[in-house]
Amino acid sequence: MITWLKELDPVYQALAAGLFTWGLTALGAALVFGLLKVNRKLLDAMLGFAGGVMLAASYWSLLAPSIAVAEEQGWPSWLPAAIGFLAGGAFLWGLDQLLPHLHRGLPIESAEGPRTAWQRSVLLIIAITLHNIPEGLAVGVALGSAASGLKTASLGSAAALAIGIGLQNVPEGVAVAVPLRGEGLSRMKAWMIGQASALVEPVAAVIGAAVVVFAAPVLPFALSFAAGAMVYVVVEELVPETQQQGNDDLATLCLMLGFAVMMILDVALG
């Protein structure tokens, strides 16, 4: 994968990586054609794993490089990381307030954001799309930073991030599509919603890569921005969702496993 990516322009690298992560979401969602439902323990375990991957990626692939790049550029090492991290969380919080959406497993009365008459499926798509924006952005920013020439940024680390995000997208695709099937949607419609939720990832990846390639001074801020957005999603959505049915310990152990897997990928490939 790394050898193939080296031959592409950074923006095209980001597009390819975004399509890769989207494709694994679509693959996971495709299991809806063979499954009627997912055991709740398994679902919480998968979501915990996804959260662990995102948390590890936030540090190993984004925050740590942000600090290192800031030092190379002459910034106080902590400043871009702190500003970008808080800005990323604030950005996701703002989108939460502006766009009506509904988290998985909750009744439509629990929809967040402005009141609306939109259908449940539309509100679910919006919520999942909001969740996927930081993932695509993180992949794009990492690939853009690898092309910057800075010694602290490597294509191997960016590829590890794309692989890690892709791995956790498989169970996320299952976690989106199969419950929708259980709510009465056809298999095809449940799959369409599941895969469509990740279509934003290639778009966000391209935007992230383009920003850092054409505006190199913002690189440490962009890296930490993506990290803050991902941590916001984990804490605001994934962790609470895994705590609803008494599977706290299982979800926590799987979160730690996901963290370890992503850490190993980043260190081994980076």
Side-chain angles (χ1 to χ4, degrees):
M1 180 178 181
I2 297 176
T3 302
W4 179 70
L5 281 176
K6 283 182 180 178
E7 301 174 359
L8 300 176
D9 177 86
V11 174
Y12 288 112
Q13 289 176 351
L15 177 60
L19 290 173
F20 168 75
T21 60
W22 162 78
L24 289 181
T25 304
L27 177 64
L31 293 179
V32 74
F33 292 106
L35 297 174
L36 293 177
K37 65 178 182 179
V38 177
N39 178 274
R40 183 67 204 198
K41 283 189 176 182
L42 177 59
L43 178 61
D44 288 341
M46 291 190 297
L47 292 175
F49 181 88
V53 168
M54 292 175 71
L55 286 178
S58 297
Y59 175 73
W60 294 98
S61 299
L62 298 169
L63 276 177
S66 171
I67 294 169
V69 170
E71 291 177 344
E72 288 188 47
Q73 291 185 346
W75 292 95
S77 59
W78 55 269
L79 184 62
I83 292 175
F85 183 81
L86 294 175
F91 174 72
L92 261 292
W93 177 84
L95 289 181
D96 272 356
Q97 308 311 305
L98 292 173
L99 294 175
H101 59 284
L102 177 66
H103 295 305
R104 292 170 296 211
L106 297 178
I108 196 167
E109 293 79 13
S110 299
E112 300 177 9
R115 292 188 177 276
T116 180
W118 293 348
Q119 293 180 349
R120 176 183 176 85
S121 59
V122 175
L123 295 174
L124 285 168
I125 292 173
I126 294 174
I128 300 159
T129 299
L130 289 176
H131 174 140
N132 285 321
I133 289 174
E135 297 176 9
L137 186 64
V139 170
V141 169
L143 285 164
S145 68
S148 66
L150 296 168
K151 61 184 179 182
T152 52
S154 72
L155 185 59
S157 179
L161 176 60
I163 292 170
I165 294 296
L167 286 176
Q168 63 96 32
N169 274 358
V170 175
E172 281 196 355
V174 177
V176 173
V178 175
L180 288 175
R181 170 60 178 164
E183 292 180 6
L185 275 68
S186 69
R187 295 181 191 273
M188 179 57 71
K189 189 171 184 179
W191 178 78
M192 289 294 292
I193 292 175
Q195 63 83 28
S197 68
L199 284 174
V200 70
E201 290 193 11
V203 177
V206 167
I207 292 172
V211 167
V212 299
V213 166
F214 297 110
V218 307
L219 176 55
F221 296 93
L223 286 164
S224 55
F225 181 95
M230 288 217 294
V231 170
Y232 181 92
V233 167
V234 173
V235 176
E236 194 268 344
E237 180 181 346
L238 290 183
V239 170
E241 188 171 346
T242 63
Q243 310 296 304
Q244 294 174 7
Q245 302 294 325
N247 297 319
D248 311 35
D249 291 344
L250 174 63
T252 300
L253 290 172
C254 288
L255 184 146
M256 295 182 70
L257 175 62
F259 189 101
V261 168
M262 184 64 231
M263 179 178 63
I264 291 168
L265 277 175
D266 191 274
V267 174
L269 296 180

